[in-house]
Amino acid sequence: MKNLLTGTAVAMLTAGIASAEGHLAFTPGEGDFNWDSLTAFGEANDLTGQTVTVFGPWRGDDQALVENVIAYFEDATGATVEYSSSENYEQQIVIDAEAGSPPDVAVLPQPGLIANLASRGFITPLGDETQTWLEENYAAGESWVSLGTYAGPDGEDRLYAFPYKIDVKSLVWYSPENFEDAGYEVPTSMEELKALTEQIVADGGTPWCIGLGSGGATGWPATDWVEDMMLRTQPPETYDAWVNHEIPFDDPAVIGAIEEFGYFARNDDFVAGGAGAVASTDFRDSPKGLFSSPPQCYMHHQASFIPTFFPDGIELGLDADFFYMPSYAGKDLGNPVLGAGTLAFITKDGDGARAFLEFLKTPIAHEIWMAQSGFLTPFKSVNTANYANDTLKKQGDILLDATTFRFDASDLMPGAVGAGSFWTGMVDYAGGKDAAEVAAEIEQSWPAN
């Protein structure tokens, strides 16, 4: 559910961009793209006459966007790329791998599934050179290496997957006009965010709109809150231990993060409709309170996709904007960012597959999609002026400023927990149940194997 939502495009395609496969959306040599990186890549990789197969999650409009990027790989190398997807792409890649007919390169938004494929010997390691490249060229490089590193068939950890196209979740949405009218400043620390929350109440307003409703997936928005709070109260190693069940779900660190969410969500004065409305309010309706007159709330915590559900006519950057969900100034944990994204990996080793992974190391492979829609990258060498709009550029800057990046924890946990008891447990907690009791029940649901 959450991967699907965070993949939703938040901006329309810029005018004139071609959607036909094989067409160059921007003329090489023109604009402020890093064209030299494409030239150097082409000189080093002659694949004339070869076909490279790529399987990924992007369909519909997103498929047109990725094919616009792939066109530059084809133009530089002389290769033909056959891109395909499937409605059930997670199952399809496993079927193809088991049948011995995988694509050359696959791209998935599920690190857990990639780890399983690596453990079964279906993926080719990317090597120390790529690991070093990520450490040096991606902001918070060690985080990205960790995300793509899994145990192989021999139990040894190696880098298997290359992160490409990232989504940001550590965002707080607000109305700049409402802030200006009330004299509020964007907080730059968690201490300031809590002080602002209390100030809004003192001024007679309601600080937050929070909604956990999502049909059969009700509760998932609270997991994002808890994950963000884990990263703001604990070092990343503790977050990793939680995800991997090296500490129990009812560890004091986790209970503390749940209670940090409770600070905001379980105070009747802090939430539109009162704390009792949190679990029953649909997450798609929740942010609309930002735009009522007078405002029903001043802030809304949600990922980059949420403008899709804003009322018609809301202009990003003018009527609605966002700021980074700040960290505690007093905890020395840097600027952690919670998010999701896709990772590319080699499922059939060969010159074409390796060249395609090398292509993803060029600024141009990022900038072409940046200039279109819905793409964020932590690649430090890209020209961020190429982002299609200010909203995307600001989110890209958050990635570049990050000291730590961590993938959505619930998406990495076993399904019975991450898409089950964690969701329902957060509904119970929002309804008034004790955090320690909720965490213990979630712990009991963790699969034995």
Side-chain angles (χ1 to χ4, degrees), residues 69-434:
V69 177
I70 287 171
Y72 292 86
F73 174 85
E74 294 177 315
D75 192 61
T77 64
T80 297
V81 176
E82 295 179 353
Y83 174 83
S84 63
S85 187
S86 168
E87 184 175 357
N88 300 308
Y89 59 86
E90 304 98 325
Q91 292 82 12
Q92 191 61 52
I93 189 62
V94 175
I95 292 170
D96 291 345
E98 291 177 341
S101 56
D104 296 311
V105 175
V107 187
L108 290 175
Q110 292 96 348
L113 176 55
I114 303 172
N116 179 264
L117 292 170
S119 70
R120 300 173 65 188
F122 290 134
I123 305 179
T124 301
L126 298 181
D128 293 341
E129 181 181 346
T130 298
Q131 176 171 327
T132 300
W133 187 94
L134 284 172
E135 291 170 347
E136 295 177 350
N137 290 277
Y138 270 22
E142 289 286 352
S143 296
W144 300 105
V145 170
S146 175
L147 181 60
T149 297
Y150 320 110
D154 59 0
E156 294 294 320
D157 286 342
R158 298 180 181 85
L159 178 68
Y160 282 95
F162 186 96
Y164 177 75
K165 190 180 184 299
I166 309 305
D167 298 304
V168 172
K169 297 193 172 195
S170 299
L171 304 177
V172 177
W173 295 86
Y174 73 106
S175 164
E177 182 179 356
N178 290 343
F179 264 47
E180 182 178 356
D181 289 346
Y184 300 142
E185 300 289 335
V186 170
T188 58
S189 69
M190 185 59 68
E191 291 92 341
E192 289 183 3
L193 181 62
K194 287 186 173 182
L196 175 59
T197 296
E198 294 171 3
Q199 182 62 51
I200 292 172
V201 173
D203 292 342
T206 302
W208 294 91
C209 281
I210 304 174
L212 307 186
S214 186
T218 292
W220 73 258
T223 69
D224 283 359
W225 270 95
V226 173
E227 291 154 4
D228 253 334
M229 297 319 250
M230 275 290 289
L231 290 172
R232 282 150 183 76
T233 58
Q234 302 295 328
E237 294 78 14
T238 302
Y239 184 94
D240 297 339
W242 173 47
V243 169
N244 297 323
H245 206 219
E246 293 166 1
I247 61 172
F249 207 103
D250 55 353
D251 185 272
V254 183
I255 294 170
I258 295 172
E259 290 174 337
E260 287 277 332
F261 165 58
Y263 168 86
F264 297 96
R266 299 215 323 184
N267 187 318
D268 286 332
D269 293 333
F270 287 180
V271 187
V278 168
S280 59
T281 300
D282 193 285
F283 83 93
R284 288 157 284 217
D285 295 329
S286 182
K288 294 175 183 176
L290 294 171
F291 312 110
S292 62
S293 183
Q296 295 177 11
C297 62
Y298 284 82
M299 294 177 285
H300 180 70
H301 172 271
Q302 191 50 273
S304 55
F305 72 85
I306 199 60
T308 301
F309 302 107
F310 287 172
D312 292 340
I314 295 299
E315 184 177 344
L316 295 182
L318 179 65
D319 305 309
D321 207 344
F322 61 89
F323 55 86
Y324 165 70
M325 180 74 161
S327 55
Y328 277 99
K331 290 188 180 293
D332 195 27
L333 292 173
N335 298 317
V337 172
L338 176 72
T342 54
L343 298 99
F345 50 99
I346 296 173
T347 42
K348 189 194 310 183
D349 199 8
D351 291 343
R354 290 186 176 272
F356 193 84
L357 266 294
E358 288 299 313
F359 176 64
L360 299 184
K361 298 178 185 177
T362 67
I364 207 69
H366 299 243
E367 291 174 343
I368 295 300
W369 203 333
M370 286 166 55
Q372 298 179 82
S373 174
F375 184 93
L376 302 175
T377 179
F379 192 177
K380 294 186 288 187
S381 295
V382 299
N383 179 4
T384 59
N386 285 317
Y387 274 115
N389 54 55
D390 289 341
T391 296
L392 290 170
K393 184 180 182 301
K394 282 181 62 178
Q395 293 174 9
D397 288 343
I398 287 173
L399 278 178
L400 291 176
D401 290 340
T403 54
T404 300
F405 180 91
R406 283 299 183 269
F407 206 90
D408 182 286
S410 62
D411 287 337
L412 299 176
M413 293 173 179
V417 177
S421 59
F422 195 179
W423 291 353
T424 57
M426 291 303 95
V427 172
D428 291 341
Y429 176 70
K433 204 167 187 176
D434 181 71

Side-chain angles (χ1 to χ4, degrees), residues 23-47:
H23 187 86
L24 299 182
F26 305 95
T27 303
E30 296 184 0
D32 294 325
F33 298 93
N34 279 283
W35 294 117
D36 288 347
S37 72
L38 183 65
T39 301
F41 172 76
E43 291 173 350
N45 293 275
D46 183 358
L47 302 174

